[in-house]
Amino acid sequence: GVRHASTFITWVRRRTGPSTVLINSTDQAEAIINGDDLAVIGFFKELHNESVEVFCETARDVPEMPFGMTASKDVHVNYGIQKNTLVVFKKGKPVHSEVLEDGRQNKLDLTRLIKTFTLDLVTEYNLETSVKIFDVPVENHILLFTPMNSEKFNVIYENYKSAAAEFRGKVCNAESALQMRVPKDQQKNSCQHHWNGRVFEYFRIKDIDVPSVRILNLTSDAKYKMPADEVTVESLKTFCQSYLNGKAKLHLPSEEIPEDWDKMPVKVLVGKNFNAIVF
């Protein structure tokens, strides 16, 4: 949703007028690209096709950053673009290029792709970032649970970040986006500790379980646990790819076995003793 006055004004203007700026020169393109942290430019051979329509529709729904489009040959040559292409620029540098083909992309696809770049590659999940994370229309989120004061934290974090780049826009990091890192705050009285504590509780993560990685599908609320114990680049890539291929096993966390589970005529079964008793 729209949360800042300037963004709201842009949102209204893009619905009552042009949603993108028509770029006719390299100087004009550079002004847009360097004017904000993020900018999106559509390079088209001609400005009357389905891809242009989808691009303009997307711009109406993403008021957080400037959008421009061009059919100028000089601008194409300057940026080395030969096909109809969407380019995301961050701090003046291209960070992603997407070839656009009529009928191949829709508004949701482009919105999802572009909004992942409003987040860092790995985003710490907290009260402030949660709104931005869930504003990105990606249904798959991967979460790393690890204490920041761990001796292995830096290695784990770098491995997580390295794997994130390959799956950005497919699994959100946070958005991505392998996009979310949930550190365990050691200050028990802090608001952030209680916030993260609820997240750990929701996923039933205990101190003995960390570091641990989960994938959450927001549509079905299904959760998946990375089977590997070590958080390496390869184990993360294997886990993400198996999920995207539909081969990851659904994780069904279990309650602890009650001490008196077999004391009554009706036995109490939980995940941890179900197979042993039933089968």
Side-chain angles (χ1 to χ4, degrees):
V2 179
R3 295 174 182 84
H4 300 288
S6 59
T7 305
F8 177 73
I9 292 171
T10 301
W11 182 81
V12 172
R13 285 176 175 172
R14 290 184 183 179
R15 274 164 169 69
T16 58
S19 60
T20 66
V21 176
L22 182 60
I23 298 172
N24 295 309
S25 68
T26 300
D27 289 342
Q28 190 180 5
E30 290 181 352
I32 293 174
I33 292 168
N34 295 312
D36 284 86
D37 283 347
L38 285 169
V40 181
I41 306 296
F43 296 84
F44 300 98
K45 292 183 178 180
E46 51 94 13
L47 299 178
H48 301 285
N49 57 46
E50 184 180 337
S51 292
V52 173
E53 292 179 7
V54 173
F55 181 80
C56 292
E57 289 174 1
T58 303
R60 292 189 184 97
D61 283 350
V62 188
E64 297 91 342
M65 64 194 75
F67 277 68
M69 64 179 182
T70 183
S72 167
K73 292 183 179 179
D74 291 340
V75 178
H76 279 67
V77 170
N78 185 71
Y79 290 96
I81 304 296
Q82 297 180 345
K83 299 180 179 180
N84 290 345
T85 305
L86 176 155
V87 181
V88 180
F89 292 86
K90 191 167 188 175
K91 298 186 184 301
K93 297 181 179 180
V95 291
H96 184 81
S97 297
E98 186 82 5
V99 174
L100 302 177
E101 299 176 3
D102 287 355
R104 181 183 167 202
Q105 293 98 348
N106 57 42
K107 184 177 72 171
L108 179 59
D109 292 334
L110 295 187
T111 301
R112 179 186 296 120
L113 170 68
I114 293 166
K115 282 204 170 188
T116 59
F117 290 95
T118 64
L119 298 169
D120 293 331
L121 195 57
V122 176
T123 303
E124 180 179 339
Y125 187 71
N126 55 42
L127 282 167
E128 294 181 359
T129 62
S130 61
V131 174
K132 292 182 67 176
I133 288 170
F134 291 111
D135 189 47
V136 178
V138 176
E139 64 177 8
N140 302 313
H141 291 252
I142 185 164
L143 301 96
L144 167 66
F145 297 85
T146 185
M148 293 182 72
N149 61 352
S150 166
E151 293 181 359
K152 296 182 178 180
F153 173 77
N154 289 335
V155 174
I156 291 173
Y157 176 79
E158 288 303 319
N159 289 342
Y160 193 64
K161 189 175 180 180
S162 295
E166 186 170 328
F167 293 91
R168 189 166 207 164
K170 300 175 184 177
V171 183
C172 177
N173 63 56
E175 225 155 291
S176 116
L178 303 170
Q179 296 253 336
M180 287 189 285
R181 173 169 58 90
V182 185
K184 182 185 176 185
D185 196 319
Q186 300 300 313
Q187 298 178 4
K188 295 184 178 180
N189 295 324
S190 72
C191 178
Q192 183 59 37
H193 170 77
H194 293 300
W195 173 260
N196 283 344
R198 289 197 297 270
V199 177
F200 272 70
E201 182 179 349
Y202 175 74
F203 284 91
R204 296 185 180 176
I205 303 291
K206 298 181 179 180
D207 290 348
I208 196 173
D209 298 323
V210 296
S212 188
V213 178
R214 300 285 191 275
I215 286 178
L216 169 66
N217 181 284
L218 293 180
T219 302
S220 63
D221 199 37
K223 304 174 186 69
Y224 301 81
K225 177 183 178 181
M226 187 173 77
D229 293 328
E230 295 291 327
V231 182
T232 66
V233 175
E234 287 306 314
S235 65
L236 286 163
K237 287 184 177 181
T238 299
F239 177 45
C240 290
Q241 196 58 57
S242 68
Y243 172 76
L244 294 175
N245 292 341
K247 296 181 179 180
K249 292 184 179 180
L250 189 65
H251 178 59
L252 300 173
S254 170
E255 298 284 352
E256 294 297 326
I257 301 174
E259 292 183 3
D260 59 349
W261 71 272
D262 60 347
K263 304 300 183 184
M264 303 294 288
V266 178
K267 312 301 181 185
V268 179
L269 300 181
V270 295
K272 289 185 176 181
N273 68 352
F274 183 86
N275 288 338
I277 302 303
V278 175
F279 300 106

